[in-house]
Amino acid sequence: MAFASFKEVLTDGLKKGYAVGQFNMNNLEFLQAIIETAEEERSPVILGVSEGAMKYMNIEYTVAMAKAAAAKASVPVILHLDHGSSYEVVLKCIRAGFSSIMIDASHYPLEENIAKTKQVVHACHTLGIDVEGELGTIGGVEDDISVDEKDATLARPEEALRLVQETGIDALAPAIGSAHGMYKGDPELDFDRLAKIRDLTGIPMVLHGGSGIPDEDIRKAISLGVSKINVNTENQVAFTNKVREILGKDANVYDPRKYLGPAREAIKEVVREKMRLFGSNNRA
Ligand code: 13P
């Protein structure tokens, strides 16, 4: 199949009360694990690619691999830019063949966030490409972006309404207390804020920093309008732990397939668990 529509997939989740996982793609094994599990679980799926991962994999390889996976798949697959930092990067990704875009201008003052996001939405919508925007800053570390928890600011509902109305974004990632990377304790999500933003904007919402959030908080966030949840760190940890375990047990292993294969299986188990928790299984 060709890549699926971001907006259609998220809107179905919002209507029916489930969330679609965005699983970040860091190499071929991540891609294979994510797609194979989506097929087995009959789940729509979003492949998220950060700018750092794109640099690592090369943009042409990234799109070619994702296209090959989507072409073979019988479930909806989306190739989404994660935290696009500029109009230029967005254009490069559209030209390369990404099917949807996130523009993250959340670290700019509101007026600038609106202006930058609006420019991206205009270009993308002309081409039929859907856009995710961000408001407030999400803490933690992702690639080269590091936001101290103390500096993370939560999204203000009235500003969320302005960002949505003035830019025409298709999905909104409001900062509500989640963070990228591993949490030190349990995260404290601001559900009242999430509910207010949902009531004001009515568009699908995205929860970043999905790794390490307790199951009951995930379920509550979905019940309050979150229809996309991003997960990366838990997959990275599962992958790396398996590689470490295998190499630690046997110093004579030299064939990468002997440790990358089992590491790929380890990702599949995380993705399966998340798809079932998000309720996206059996929706495709
Ligand atoms: P985690 O790495 O915390 O799962 O967050 C992923 C994410 O939000 C990507 O945008």
Side-chain angles (χ1 to χ4, degrees):
M1 286 205 289
F3 289 127
S5 155
F6 180 81
K7 194 171 175 173
E8 273 174 29
V9 165
L10 265 60
T11 306
D12 192 65
L14 189 60
K15 256 200 323 225
K16 298 180 183 160
Y18 69 92
V20 180
Q22 173 194 298
F23 300 99
N24 284 58
M25 176 178 160
N26 295 290
N27 62 20
L28 175 66
E29 283 74 16
F30 273 68
L31 171 66
Q32 291 171 322
I34 296 162
I35 296 290
E36 275 173 28
T37 315
E39 285 279 346
E40 288 162 14
E41 292 296 312
R42 306 302 312 152
S43 170
V45 74
I46 300 171
L47 301 165
V49 181
S50 67
E51 287 182 27
M54 202 156 62
K55 247 188 250 159
Y56 175 79
M57 293 185 286
N58 167 296
I59 189 165
E60 282 89 9
Y61 287 0
T62 302
V63 175
M65 288 194 297
K67 269 198 179 150
K72 265 183 71 170
S74 61
V75 297
V77 176
I78 289 161
L79 178 61
H80 188 69
L81 171 64
D82 191 24
H83 294 282
S85 63
S86 68
Y87 186 66
E88 290 67 34
V89 170
V90 167
L91 290 189
K92 210 169 114 187
C93 289
I94 294 175
R95 278 196 210 105
F98 274 68
S99 64
S100 57
I101 292 293
M102 175 187 190
I103 174 73
D104 178 4
S106 61
H107 41 286
Y108 292 104
L110 180 66
E111 299 301 332
E112 246 178 291
N113 186 355
I114 291 176
K116 287 181 189 295
T117 304
K118 196 171 166 176
Q119 185 189 25
V120 165
V121 171
H122 179 72
C124 287
H125 281 185
T126 311
L127 299 164
I129 289 174
D130 301 322
V131 180
E132 172 186 342
E134 179 173 322
L135 183 69
T137 43
I138 292 164
V141 181
E142 193 188 32
D143 283 346
D144 306 329
I145 310 165
S146 167
V147 178
D148 198 302
E149 317 282 293
K150 293 193 297 295
D151 297 329
T153 48
L154 301 188
R156 295 202 182 94
E158 64 283 5
E159 292 188 356
L161 179 62
R162 278 198 60 198
L163 185 70
V164 169
Q165 281 186 335
E166 294 178 33
T167 65
I169 48 172
D170 305 285
L172 170 70
I176 58 158
S178 62
H180 295 123
M182 279 308 192
Y183 295 96
K184 286 180 198 106
D186 270 352
E188 271 186 40
L189 302 188
D190 189 337
F191 292 113
D192 289 344
R193 188 178 295 268
L194 186 65
K196 273 191 203 121
I197 296 172
R198 179 214 40 204
D199 291 346
L200 283 173
T201 67
I203 68 168
M205 290 189 293
V206 181
L207 183 63
H208 281 249
S211 296
I213 296 180
D215 290 2
E216 61 273 26
D217 285 3
I218 291 285
R219 286 192 200 99
K220 186 152 186 198
I222 295 171
S223 77
L224 293 172
V226 163
S227 45
K228 170 176 178 272
I229 302 177
N230 294 4
V231 177
N232 187 24
T233 304
E234 278 192 53
N235 282 335
Q236 292 182 321
V237 169
F239 184 87
T240 306
N241 281 348
K242 186 50 84 177
V243 171
R244 204 175 271 131
E245 179 194 317
I246 292 171
L247 298 183
K249 266 196 219 149
D250 185 352
N252 295 318
V253 175
Y254 60 86
D255 179 348
R257 292 170 298 183
K258 295 282 190 291
Y259 52 87
L260 294 179
R264 181 172 60 198
E265 288 303 310
I267 293 182
K268 285 184 71 173
E269 287 324 300
V270 175
V271 173
R272 190 181 317 285
E273 199 184 287
K274 297 296 177 196
M275 284 176 169
R276 291 182 184 176
L277 172 63
F278 301 167
S280 71
N281 55 328
N282 298 322
R283 303 282 185 176

